[in-house]
């Protein structure tokens, strides 16, 4: 069965749905007993393997269409040492043309066919209070627009089931049903007559006390829906309807598979043709981004060079006069500078001579400790290298002092 199945009933010539808002295309169909051929059958132990085959000739003999083969279904009611007690049923296709038309109009495919009277019996079972009383017999009358369903219960199992028209002599039909039940299950006292639906009790109160049971409007449909969940319950679906159901399911499955395969094929084509196109668009987009980034980078680099050039020539802390002042301020007494070499981008190199070597070292330490401070108060010189001192003519100590500072490219 499909994941979502509708429940429908065909009564009074119209199709009624349990849930009119359900969009399911498969349905469990409940029919009045007058539409079905039903019979309680005792299946001997030797025929236990195939009760439907054993019951088929019995129902065939009851059919108003003797030349039409029946698809017999059964439901096991009780198991005994001598065999099975089953409820056998079949739906003659020749009597179901109007049902088929209504189902086609509603675009429903039937998966199961059950009896509405048994659905009502399921809904009223709690109110019957059968319990463990298996020695007595109950007469159950169920009224519906199509017929009156008569079910004789021996304890918790039916012993006779039949449908009669509303115009029939109800007393006579009840008598025949009780005789059938006695023939099937033996003589038992009738404990009560239970009436479900709008049915007059006149003529039947003589058999047993009458009790009425009220069930909901959709009790039959709800009961059929609950019974459909059990695979062992009755399913009087004709063979041709089964074939139509299988064909419809096959076509639906084929359409789904074709849709899936079509989607996969479209996805493959999209990958084969769409990815290169998308990759080309992405490549062009990245190329444009790179070009724009390169243009902006060049513009920023040009502006940075201009700013650095302005900063370079506006920074007087590295000018020749400032550097000369910084060196002069830190020049100890007794040292004479003999040469001066200044490069703005590199630093200053001085040579000189001193009376004593200690004066040279003091000069070097002065330059190393403080350096030449710029306008921002930071040291300009990053390294101070002393070559010497070495003794020269006249006892003078000669030396070379090289002071360098951070270049523009290293900042």
């Amino acid at each position: 069965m499909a994941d979502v199945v509708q429940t429908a009933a065909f009564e009074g010539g119209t199709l009624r749905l349990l849930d009119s808002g359900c969009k399911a295309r498969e349905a469990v169909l409940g029919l009045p007993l007058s539409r079905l051929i039903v019979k309680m059958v005792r299946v001997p132990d030797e025929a236990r393997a195939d009760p439907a085959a054993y019951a088929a000739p019995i129902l065939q003999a009851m059919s108003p269409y003797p030349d039409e083969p029946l698809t017999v279904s059964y439901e096991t009611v009780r198991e005994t040492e001598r065999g099975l007690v089953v409820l056998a049923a079949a739906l003659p296709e020749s009597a179901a043309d109007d049902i088929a038309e209504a189902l086609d109009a509603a675009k429903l495919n039937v998966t199961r066919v059950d009896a509405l009277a048994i659905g009502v019996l399921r809904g009223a079972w709690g109110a019957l209070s059968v319990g463990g009383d298996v020695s007595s017999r109950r007469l159950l009358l169920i009224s519906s627009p199509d017929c009156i369903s008569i079910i004789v219960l021996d304890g918790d199992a039916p012993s006779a089931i039949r449908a009669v028209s509303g115009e029939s002599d109800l007393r006579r039909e009840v008598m025949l049903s009780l005789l059938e039940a006695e023939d099937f299950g033996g003589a038992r006292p009738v404990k009560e007559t239970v009436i479900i639906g709008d049915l007059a009790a006149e003529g039947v109160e003589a058999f047993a006390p009458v009790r009425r049971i009220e069930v909901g409007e959709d009790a039959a449909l709800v009961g059929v829906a609950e019974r459909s969940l059990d695979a062992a319950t009755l399913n009087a679906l004709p063979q041709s309807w089964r074939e139509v159901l299988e064909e419809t399911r096959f076509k639906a499955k084929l359409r789904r598979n074709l849709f899936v395969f079509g989607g996969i094929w479209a996805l493959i084509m999209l990958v084969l043709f769409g990815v290169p196109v998308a990759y080309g668009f992405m490549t062009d987009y990245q190329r444009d981004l790179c070009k724009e980034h390169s243009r902006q980078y060049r513009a920023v680099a040009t502006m940075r060079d201009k700013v650095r050039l302005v900063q370079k020539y506006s920074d007087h802390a590295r000018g020749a006069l400032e550097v000369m002042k910084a060196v002069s301020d830190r020049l100890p007494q007794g040292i004479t500078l003999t040469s001066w070499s200044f490069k703005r981008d590199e630093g200053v190199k001085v040579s000189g001579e001193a009376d004593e070597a200690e004066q040279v070292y003091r000069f070097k330490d002065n330059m190393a400790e403080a350096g030449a401070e710029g306008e921002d108060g930071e040291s300009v010189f990053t390294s101070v290298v002393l070559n010497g001192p070495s003794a020269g003519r006249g006892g003078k100590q000669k030396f070379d002092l090289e002071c360098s500072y951070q270049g523009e490219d290293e900042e």
Side-chain angles (χ1 to χ4, degrees), residues 116-194:
L116 288 171
I118 301 179
V120 173
L121 179 60
R122 181 184 181 95
W125 191 256
L128 288 175
S129 303
V130 174
D133 183 10
V134 296
S135 61
S136 61
R137 177 166 289 161
R138 286 178 172 82
L139 176 63
L140 184 63
L141 305 178
I142 303 173
S143 176
S144 70
D146 295 86
C147 65
I148 300 173
S149 300
I150 303 176
I151 302 176
V152 181
L153 292 176
D154 288 352
D156 59 353
S159 58
I161 180 169
R162 59 200 300 258
V164 298
S165 65
E167 292 80 15
S168 301
D169 185 351
L170 184 58
R171 180 182 176 85
R172 174 179 176 276
E173 296 297 340
V174 168
M175 178 66 72
L176 292 176
S177 298
L178 291 174
L179 291 175
E180 181 182 348
E182 185 173 341
D183 181 62
F184 186 83
R188 296 187 184 187
V190 181
K191 181 178 180 180
E192 63 177 347
T193 298
V194 179

Side-chain angles (χ1 to χ4, degrees), residues 9-39:
F10 189 83
E11 287 185 301
T14 60
L15 190 67
R16 183 165 60 95
L17 302 179
L18 178 61
D19 182 6
S20 59
C22 182
K23 302 300 181 181
R25 289 292 175 240
E26 292 189 358
V28 176
L29 180 63
L31 295 177
L33 279 182
S34 58
R35 291 283 186 164
L36 301 170
I37 301 175
V38 293
K39 180 73 174 176

